[in-house]
Amino acid sequence: MTGSVPPRAPSVPAVPAGRVRCATFNVLHGLRLLEDGRAPGTEDAAGPAPLAEAVAALDADVLALQEVDRLQPRSGGVDQAAVAAAAMGAGHWRYASALHARALPGGGWVRDPAAPGLREYGPRSRNSPDGVPSHGIALLSRLPVRAWRARRLAAAPLAVPLRSAGRPGLTAVRDQPRAVLAAVLEGPAGPFTAVAVHLSFVPGWNVGQLLAVRRWIADLPRPCLLLGDFNLVGAVPRATLNAAERVRSRLPGAAPGRRGDAWRETARTPTYPSHRPLVQFDHVLASGIGADAVAGACAPRTAISDHRPLVADLALTRCAPCTPAAPARPTTG
């Protein structure tokens, strides 16, 4: 019914035995939306409970989050990555700030020129005296993490007309810097890599960012998962990555491609807008897994965000002969 709020907890099947549940969710800073996609009053959006309930219901082992707030008044002043990690029982997590700034009511940011563009936060920094509000992405894991990486992606130098949650028509929106997080995890069958991304909404610029991420993670172990809001529809991310791999393999002196290294989509289902999904911006792509590795996938409706989460249950066994990893930066808690 128009004006009502969706169910607080999504309906998600149980994780099949022997599978790792991997998910991505653009949480829109935990904002609760009405059944028809409109935003309610601000008083309904504050506080961590809706975010925690939505995350807990996914029952994910590995979860990438986008549009995450840290210490923002609009989301109750909480560390949303820490809230989500506690809700899903993830002992290993990182939050990476894309920008240090305070969100303004109605849109826009007041940036803090003294704060660095990229900073990582984790369990040990939960009670950090750093009180600068920020916005970014998070990668959360129930599985042990061997190493972490983070990097920043520059913003596109132009504004693009976009449809925003709770606003009629189109609004000219300037791009923001983006962050990327990568982790080498200890899976049931050995190490694998998970990479959390949130790419630009500017056409073409997001493709360049995706290719930059591909080069940045080339030395990390397979299987490798790319999870996030790509702002690229349908098969475009997979096709882009595989085309780049074909070009690389034809360069003089390049090593031949390895069986199982092609990028696969673990799910093809629309995720945006959440109240009536029409397109798929959110993806869980995998390289180094077999064709039968996906046991199931879904995109359930939650009470928060204009995106639906994308959930995939995977068998993360190595697809030989995939390359071992070069070491990443060791984790420090």
Side-chain angles (χ1 to χ4, degrees):
M1 180 175 65
T2 300
S4 63
V5 176
R8 295 180 70 91
S11 176
V12 182
V15 185
R19 299 296 191 265
V20 175
R21 173 160 289 176
C22 304
T24 182
F25 192 9
N26 181 327
V27 297
L28 191 64
H29 59 270
L31 181 65
R32 296 186 68 190
L33 299 181
L34 301 177
E35 187 70 31
D36 59 2
R38 292 183 297 114
T42 357
E43 66 275 7
D44 296 325
L51 172 66
E53 290 169 3
V55 166
L58 300 179
D59 194 22
D61 298 303
V62 179
L63 177 62
L65 298 178
Q66 304 84 45
E67 298 199 28
V68 180
D69 277 355
R70 185 175 189 271
L71 311 183
Q72 295 286 352
R74 68 178 180 184
S75 49
V78 301
D79 182 338
Q80 289 192 322
V83 168
M88 65 178 276
H92 309 270
W93 60 273
R94 288 291 187 276
Y95 162 84
S97 57
L99 71 162
H100 284 85
R102 179 171 54 85
L104 294 173
W109 300 89
V110 177
R111 302 202 181 202
D112 186 332
L118 175 69
R119 181 178 288 168
E120 290 180 69
Y121 301 86
R124 293 187 181 181
S125 57
R126 184 171 182 180
N127 298 317
S128 166
D130 170 19
V132 181
S134 62
H135 187 67
I137 66 169
L139 183 57
L140 321 172
S141 175
R142 293 171 174 171
L143 303 174
V145 175
R146 291 185 173 188
W148 292 95
R149 281 185 184 178
R151 69 166 290 178
R152 197 171 188 241
L153 301 172
L158 68 160
V160 172
L162 293 177
R163 189 175 299 279
S164 301
R167 294 186 185 179
L170 299 177
T171 305
V173 180
R174 293 199 64 83
D175 195 20
Q176 301 170 3
R178 309 282 168 159
V180 187
L181 276 167
V184 178
L185 300 97
E186 190 62 59
F192 70 97
T193 300
V195 185
V197 301
H198 186 196
L199 304 181
S200 170
F201 49 72
V202 178
W205 196 265
N206 46 20
V207 171
Q209 290 178 334
L210 178 60
L211 295 175
V213 171
R214 172 188 168 272
R215 294 188 295 270
W216 181 64
I217 63 173
D219 63 324
L220 296 179
R222 307 291 178 97
C224 182
L225 307 176
L226 267 175
L227 312 99
D229 176 0
F230 288 58
N231 277 307
L232 293 166
V233 299
V236 172
R238 173 186 56 80
T240 298
L241 291 168
N242 286 334
E245 180 57 32
R246 288 193 294 271
V247 170
R248 183 210 62 80
S249 66
R250 292 171 184 155
L251 295 175
R258 298 174 294 272
R259 182 170 61 87
D261 278 2
W263 289 93
R264 301 177 183 272
E265 299 170 65
T266 63
R268 283 292 299 276
T269 184
T271 57
Y272 180 89
S274 58
H275 69 289
R276 190 184 303 156
L278 299 173
V279 295
Q280 182 176 0
F281 288 140
D282 307 275
H283 302 270
V284 177
L285 301 182
S287 174
I289 66 171
D292 58 349
V294 182
C298 63
R301 180 82 189 270
T302 76
I304 65 170
S305 186
D306 53 347
H307 288 246
R308 292 193 178 195
L310 185 65
V311 180
D313 297 327
L314 306 174
L316 293 175
T317 54
R318 290 181 182 175
C319 184
C322 289
T323 38
R329 178 167 52 84
T331 182
T332 54

